[in-house]
Amino acid sequence: AMEVLRQPIEDRNVTITRVSGKVTFPETFEETFEKPVAPTFDYTGWETKTEEGNSFISHPNGSGSYKLQLDDKTDAFDLRFHIRVDEVTSSVDGNVGISFCRVDSNTQYFVEYNTVLKYIQLRKFKNGVPSVLFNKSYALENGKWYQFGLSYEGGHIRFWLDGELIIDHTEKEPLGAAILTLAGYNSAMSLDNV
Protein backbone atom coordinates (compact mmCIF):
# COMPACT_ATOMS: atom_id res chain seq x y z
CA ALA A 1 0.00 0.00 0.00
CA MET A 2 2.84 2.42 0.77
CA GLU A 3 4.29 1.83 -2.72
CA VAL A 4 1.04 3.10 -4.27
CA LEU A 5 1.09 6.24 -2.11
CA ARG A 6 4.79 6.96 -2.79
CA GLN A 7 4.59 6.38 -6.59
CA PRO A 8 3.43 9.90 -7.60
CA ILE A 9 6.04 11.59 -5.38
CA GLU A 10 8.96 9.45 -6.51
CA ASP A 11 8.06 9.22 -10.21
CA ARG A 12 6.69 12.78 -10.44
CA ASN A 13 3.80 11.24 -12.41
CA VAL A 14 0.20 10.41 -11.55
CA THR A 15 -1.38 7.33 -13.09
CA ILE A 16 -5.16 7.08 -13.37
CA THR A 17 -6.55 3.62 -14.06
CA ARG A 18 -10.11 3.00 -15.18
CA VAL A 19 -11.90 0.01 -16.69
CA SER A 20 -11.41 1.56 -20.15
CA GLY A 21 -7.64 1.94 -19.73
CA LYS A 22 -4.76 3.69 -18.00
CA VAL A 23 -3.35 7.22 -18.52
CA THR A 24 -0.23 8.68 -16.90
CA PHE A 25 -0.02 12.43 -16.37
CA PRO A 26 2.97 14.46 -15.25
CA GLU A 27 2.65 15.84 -11.73
CA THR A 28 2.21 19.20 -13.43
CA PHE A 29 1.39 19.81 -17.05
CA GLU A 30 0.93 22.70 -19.43
CA GLU A 31 -1.43 22.56 -22.37
CA THR A 32 -0.10 25.02 -24.95
CA PHE A 33 -2.22 23.65 -27.80
CA GLU A 34 0.88 23.46 -30.04
CA LYS A 35 0.68 19.68 -29.88
CA PRO A 36 -1.71 17.54 -27.82
CA VAL A 37 -0.67 16.23 -24.41
CA ALA A 38 -2.45 13.45 -22.52
CA PRO A 39 -6.23 13.90 -22.82
CA THR A 40 -6.89 16.15 -19.84
CA PHE A 41 -9.91 18.12 -21.04
CA ASP A 42 -13.10 17.53 -23.00
CA TYR A 43 -12.66 19.86 -26.00
CA THR A 44 -16.19 19.48 -27.40
CA GLY A 45 -17.24 22.75 -29.08
CA TRP A 46 -13.74 24.28 -29.03
CA GLU A 47 -11.62 25.09 -32.10
CA THR A 48 -7.83 25.24 -32.39
CA LYS A 49 -6.66 28.54 -33.90
CA THR A 50 -3.26 30.01 -34.74
CA GLU A 51 -2.30 33.70 -34.70
CA GLU A 52 1.24 34.96 -35.27
CA GLY A 53 2.60 31.41 -34.89
CA ASN A 54 0.84 30.77 -31.57
CA SER A 55 -1.78 27.99 -31.27
CA PHE A 56 -4.64 28.28 -28.78
CA ILE A 57 -8.24 27.18 -28.44
CA SER A 58 -11.30 29.30 -28.94
CA HIS A 59 -15.00 28.92 -28.34
CA PRO A 60 -16.36 31.07 -31.16
CA ASN A 61 -20.03 30.83 -30.21
CA GLY A 62 -20.43 33.02 -27.17
CA SER A 63 -24.20 32.56 -26.95
CA GLY A 64 -25.47 30.65 -23.93
CA SER A 65 -23.15 28.67 -21.67
CA TYR A 66 -20.19 26.43 -22.51
CA LYS A 67 -17.24 24.85 -20.71
CA LEU A 68 -13.82 23.22 -20.86
CA GLN A 69 -13.84 20.55 -18.21
CA LEU A 70 -11.01 18.61 -16.57
CA ASP A 71 -11.67 14.90 -16.98
CA ASP A 72 -11.09 13.93 -13.33
CA LYS A 73 -11.94 15.17 -9.83
CA THR A 74 -9.52 17.24 -7.78
CA ASP A 75 -9.53 18.74 -4.29
CA ALA A 76 -6.34 20.82 -4.53
CA PHE A 77 -4.79 22.61 -7.51
CA ASP A 78 -2.76 25.57 -8.74
CA LEU A 79 -4.08 26.57 -12.17
CA ARG A 80 -2.62 29.26 -14.46
CA PHE A 81 -3.84 30.08 -17.95
CA HIS A 82 -4.12 32.87 -20.49
CA ILE A 83 -7.59 34.06 -21.42
CA ARG A 84 -8.96 36.50 -23.95
CA VAL A 85 -12.58 37.65 -24.21
CA ASP A 86 -13.21 37.87 -27.94
CA GLU A 87 -16.80 39.05 -27.98
CA VAL A 88 -19.67 39.70 -25.57
CA THR A 89 -22.98 38.58 -27.06
CA SER A 90 -25.37 40.07 -24.47
CA SER A 91 -25.94 43.49 -22.96
CA VAL A 92 -27.63 41.99 -19.89
CA ASP A 93 -25.28 39.34 -18.50
CA GLY A 94 -22.14 37.46 -19.47
CA ASN A 95 -19.09 35.95 -17.79
CA VAL A 96 -15.94 33.89 -18.12
CA GLY A 97 -14.53 32.03 -15.18
CA ILE A 98 -13.54 28.92 -13.29
CA SER A 99 -15.96 26.58 -11.59
CA PHE A 100 -14.34 24.24 -9.08
CA CYS A 101 -15.36 21.66 -6.52
CA ARG A 102 -18.25 21.37 -8.97
CA VAL A 103 -20.63 18.53 -8.22
CA ASP A 104 -23.27 20.18 -10.42
CA SER A 105 -24.44 23.76 -11.02
CA ASN A 106 -26.07 23.69 -7.55
CA THR A 107 -22.89 22.78 -5.61
CA GLN A 108 -19.68 24.58 -6.62
CA TYR A 109 -17.40 27.59 -6.24
CA PHE A 110 -17.28 29.97 -9.19
CA VAL A 111 -14.68 32.70 -9.76
CA GLU A 112 -15.93 34.85 -12.61
CA TYR A 113 -15.20 37.98 -14.55
CA ASN A 114 -18.53 39.52 -15.54
CA THR A 115 -17.99 40.73 -19.11
CA VAL A 116 -21.05 43.03 -19.10
CA LEU A 117 -21.03 44.60 -15.63
CA LYS A 118 -17.21 44.55 -15.31
CA TYR A 119 -16.44 42.93 -11.97
CA ILE A 120 -14.57 39.94 -10.54
CA GLN A 121 -16.58 37.81 -8.16
CA LEU A 122 -16.27 34.64 -6.08
CA ARG A 123 -19.53 32.81 -5.44
CA LYS A 124 -20.32 29.62 -3.58
CA PHE A 125 -23.34 27.52 -4.48
CA LYS A 126 -24.26 24.92 -1.87
CA ASN A 127 -27.36 22.84 -2.57
CA GLY A 128 -28.56 25.55 -4.96
CA VAL A 129 -28.15 28.43 -2.50
CA PRO A 130 -25.71 31.07 -3.83
CA SER A 131 -23.60 33.32 -1.63
CA VAL A 132 -21.17 36.02 -2.77
CA LEU A 133 -17.82 35.66 -0.99
CA PHE A 134 -15.98 38.42 -2.89
CA ASN A 135 -16.87 41.16 -5.42
CA LYS A 136 -14.72 43.93 -6.88
CA SER A 137 -15.17 46.23 -9.90
CA TYR A 138 -12.61 45.46 -12.59
CA ALA A 139 -12.59 46.35 -16.30
CA LEU A 140 -10.73 44.08 -18.73
CA GLU A 141 -10.27 44.96 -22.39
CA ASN A 142 -11.90 42.68 -24.96
CA GLY A 143 -9.42 41.20 -27.46
CA LYS A 144 -6.48 41.39 -25.02
CA TRP A 145 -4.77 38.36 -23.41
CA TYR A 146 -4.65 38.18 -19.60
CA GLN A 147 -3.25 35.56 -17.25
CA PHE A 148 -5.66 34.14 -14.69
CA GLY A 149 -4.37 32.09 -11.77
CA LEU A 150 -6.39 30.15 -9.24
CA SER A 151 -5.22 27.96 -6.38
CA TYR A 152 -7.31 25.95 -3.98
CA GLU A 153 -6.32 23.75 -1.06
CA GLY A 154 -8.22 22.91 2.11
CA GLY A 155 -10.68 25.77 1.66
CA HIS A 156 -8.01 28.40 0.89
CA ILE A 157 -8.95 30.13 -2.40
CA ARG A 158 -6.58 32.54 -4.15
CA PHE A 159 -7.12 34.22 -7.53
CA TRP A 160 -4.54 36.26 -9.48
CA LEU A 161 -4.92 38.50 -12.52
CA ASP A 162 -1.64 39.11 -14.37
CA GLY A 163 0.29 38.23 -11.20
CA GLU A 164 -1.72 40.54 -8.91
CA LEU A 165 -3.47 38.76 -6.04
CA ILE A 166 -7.14 39.78 -6.27
CA ILE A 167 -8.91 37.20 -4.06
CA ASP A 168 -7.49 35.63 -0.88
CA HIS A 169 -10.33 33.85 0.90
CA THR A 170 -10.52 30.94 3.33
CA GLU A 171 -13.66 28.87 3.77
CA LYS A 172 -14.47 27.45 7.22
CA GLU A 173 -16.49 24.62 5.66
CA PRO A 174 -15.01 23.97 2.21
CA LEU A 175 -16.68 21.88 -0.45
CA GLY A 176 -15.10 18.51 -1.23
CA ALA A 177 -13.27 17.17 -4.28
CA ALA A 178 -15.08 17.51 -7.58
CA ILE A 179 -14.70 18.64 -11.19
CA LEU A 180 -12.68 21.70 -12.31
CA THR A 181 -14.24 23.60 -15.24
CA LEU A 182 -13.35 26.71 -17.25
CA ALA A 183 -16.67 28.21 -18.27
CA GLY A 184 -18.24 31.03 -20.24
CA TYR A 185 -21.68 32.53 -20.66
CA ASN A 186 -22.72 34.94 -23.42
CA SER A 187 -19.03 35.69 -24.06
CA ALA A 188 -16.81 34.13 -26.74
CA MET A 189 -13.36 33.43 -25.29
CA SER A 190 -9.98 31.98 -26.19
CA LEU A 191 -7.60 30.04 -23.90
CA ASP A 192 -3.87 29.30 -24.00
CA ASN A 193 -1.12 27.88 -21.78
CA VAL A 194 -3.47 26.07 -19.42
Side-chain angles (χ1 to χ4, degrees), residues 120 134 143:
I120 292 173
F134 176 90

mmCIF file of all heavy atoms in Angstrom, residues 120 134 143:
data_model
loop_
_atom_site.group_PDB
_atom_site.id
_atom_site.type_symbol
_atom_site.label_atom_id
_atom_site.label_comp_id
_atom_site.label_asym_id
_atom_site.label_seq_id
_atom_site.Cartn_x
_atom_site.Cartn_y
_atom_site.Cartn_z
ATOM 1 N N ILE A 120 -15.059 41.275 -10.862
ATOM 2 C CA ILE A 120 -14.569 39.938 -10.536
ATOM 3 C C ILE A 120 -15.286 39.515 -9.266
ATOM 4 O O ILE A 120 -15.400 40.298 -8.313
ATOM 5 C CB ILE A 120 -13.040 39.938 -10.339
ATOM 6 C CG1 ILE A 120 -12.352 40.217 -11.683
ATOM 7 C CG2 ILE A 120 -12.565 38.615 -9.756
ATOM 8 C CD1 ILE A 120 -10.861 40.397 -11.600
ATOM 9 N N PHE A 134 -16.870 37.327 -2.502
ATOM 10 C CA PHE A 134 -15.981 38.422 -2.893
ATOM 11 C C PHE A 134 -16.563 39.083 -4.136
ATOM 12 O O PHE A 134 -17.074 38.403 -5.020
ATOM 13 C CB PHE A 134 -14.576 37.888 -3.216
ATOM 14 C CG PHE A 134 -13.629 38.933 -3.716
ATOM 15 C CD1 PHE A 134 -12.843 39.661 -2.838
ATOM 16 C CD2 PHE A 134 -13.527 39.204 -5.067
ATOM 17 C CE1 PHE A 134 -11.974 40.639 -3.309
ATOM 18 C CE2 PHE A 134 -12.662 40.178 -5.545
ATOM 19 C CZ PHE A 134 -11.884 40.903 -4.652
ATOM 20 N N GLY A 143 -10.441 41.397 -26.434
ATOM 21 C CA GLY A 143 -9.423 41.199 -27.464
ATOM 22 C C GLY A 143 -7.995 41.197 -26.933
ATOM 23 O O GLY A 143 -7.051 41.042 -27.694
#
